Amino acid sequence: MFYLIGLGLYDENDITLRGLQTVKKCQRIYLEAYTSILLVNKDRLESLYEKEITLADREMVESNSDEILKDADTCDVAMLVVGDPMGATTHADLVLRARELNIPVRMIHNASIMNGIGASGLQLYKFGQTVSLVYFEGNYRPQSFYDRIKENVSLGLHTLVLLDIKVKEQSWENLARGRKIYEPPRYMSASLAAQQMIEVEEDRKEDICSADSLAVAIGRLGSDDQVIVSGTLGEIAEYDVGPPLHSVLLVGKEVHDMELDYLKMFAINKNNFERVAKLYLQR
């Protein structure tokens, strides 16, 4: 059997009981380590699970899936995934490859950012499309995320913005020269994400994600020191949420009064929050 096992949001203890029981019986265990990260080191997982774990980077998962799936038709192999197993298209591709090889597949689900964002007080069924925001570098400033947010805005829906992470990435020069030299890991902050969104708004001028838009920043969701703050996108652009990982939520205009009451608990400026929210909803 090939197992895709969700690890949850924070550390080694977030695995489900069913997931832990499955890990303990597997002959080979991989940890997918590039679409997201746990906030603890691999050795803590190995200590609790009492199993050796192999880190699976982008190259292994996308180009060497045969190595991962080898003999999974005669022994149990697990891929550990931060959050929920189906939170990334990469994992769907692994399932398809396994089934092409007649390898049975089973998934063990867990909490992910997609449902954990309910901690903000925004109601999950009022979210639209989730978008991803990548680092702007040089002339590379893609704006496709803006159009997806615009569609959500037209329906009054909230938007979850997932932020770029760079793990085991090569510079263009090292890539061109074939040198296996990797850049230090980088994790986009909520403040940088807000700055980039405001930058695109200043170019597009369609009032989709302006500095006055109501937003939420989340840091280290599910951890003991998680941070949730609400305010304008301009306020979040200046706010330090602390260490990674971060996410940003844009509040839709069909927001319920109870959602606003909940957001006020996290307001960067509580004395000004109601006025800011009222102005935003009247635009």
Side-chain angles (χ1 to χ4, degrees):
M1 183 76 70
F2 177 60
Y3 291 95
L4 281 163
I5 302 174
L7 293 179
L9 290 166
Y10 175 45
D11 64 14
E12 72 277 15
N13 294 307
D14 284 351
I15 193 169
T16 64
L17 183 56
R18 177 174 294 179
L20 181 59
Q21 291 169 340
T22 302
V23 165
K24 287 182 176 292
K25 73 173 186 176
C26 286
Q27 282 70 51
R28 292 201 319 278
I29 303 164
Y30 299 90
L31 172 61
E32 190 268 273
Y34 75 91
T35 59
S36 188
I37 59 165
L38 278 185
L39 301 180
V40 296
N41 294 326
K42 176 174 73 80
D43 56 1
R44 283 183 47 177
L45 276 68
E46 292 176 326
S47 176
L48 177 63
Y49 305 163
E50 298 177 333
K51 288 283 187 175
E52 182 179 343
I53 297 173
T54 300
L55 284 177
D57 59 16
R58 181 191 296 268
E59 183 178 357
M60 176 181 283
V61 176
E62 294 185 348
S63 303
N64 297 316
S65 60
D66 289 347
E67 178 181 342
I68 295 170
L69 296 172
K70 182 180 178 182
D71 300 327
D73 55 340
T74 58
C75 68
D76 290 324
V77 177
M79 173 69 78
L80 307 181
V81 178
V82 178
D84 186 81
M86 297 307 289
T89 54
T90 294
H91 310 135
D93 184 62
L94 271 175
V95 171
L96 292 173
R97 290 172 185 264
R99 288 181 174 162
E100 286 174 359
L101 297 170
N102 294 317
I103 296 171
V105 178
R106 186 165 296 164
M107 297 179 200
I108 300 176
H109 296 282
N110 208 324
S112 74
I113 186 65
M114 303 294 286
N115 53 30
I117 55 172
S120 67
L122 297 180
Q123 297 165 1
L124 293 178
Y125 59 83
K126 296 172 80 171
F127 275 82
Q129 302 170 82
T130 297
V131 303
S132 297
L133 186 63
V134 301
Y135 280 105
F136 289 176
E137 299 183 29
N139 293 324
Y140 181 65
R141 282 166 153 69
Q143 297 187 4
S144 57
F145 74 91
Y146 189 92
D147 298 309
R148 303 289 79 75
I149 296 174
K150 182 178 178 180
E151 292 171 0
N152 289 346
V153 167
S154 71
L155 298 172
L157 300 174
H158 310 315
T159 303
L160 167 62
V161 184
L162 301 177
L163 310 186
D164 200 6
I165 66 173
K166 299 287 189 183
V167 179
K168 205 175 181 181
E169 297 277 341
Q170 292 177 272
S171 67
W172 287 112
E173 180 183 355
N174 287 328
L175 191 62
R177 295 177 180 271
R179 297 186 297 210
K180 295 288 186 178
I181 301 173
Y182 301 100
E183 301 292 295
R186 289 189 292 156
Y187 309 99
M188 184 182 288
S189 67
S191 59
L192 177 59
Q195 292 165 27
Q196 290 190 177
M197 285 189 278
I198 292 169
E199 177 185 325
V200 173
E201 177 60 51
E202 290 172 349
D203 178 50
R204 297 284 291 268
K205 296 181 174 60
E206 297 180 55
D207 196 23
I208 299 302
C209 50
S210 70
D212 295 327
S213 295
L214 200 59
V216 182
I218 298 178
R220 301 168 304 288
L221 181 62
S223 71
D224 294 335
D225 66 340
Q226 76 173 20
V227 172
I228 302 175
V229 294
S230 62
T232 65
L233 205 56
E235 288 175 323
I236 288 172
E238 302 295 327
Y239 195 91
D240 182 7
V241 183
L245 293 171
H246 296 178
S247 300
V248 172
L249 314 177
L250 293 177
V251 180
K253 292 191 177 180
E254 291 298 317
V255 61
H256 191 275
D257 288 345
M258 186 172 67
E259 292 176 282
L260 289 174
D261 289 342
Y262 209 98
L263 288 179
K264 186 178 179 181
M265 296 193 303
F266 305 125
I268 294 171
N269 186 342
K270 287 183 171 56
N271 294 329
N272 199 38
F273 181 82
E274 290 183 5
R275 185 186 69 83
V276 166
K278 183 176 181 180
L279 289 174
Y280 169 70
L281 296 175
Q282 289 177 343
R283 288 198 331 233

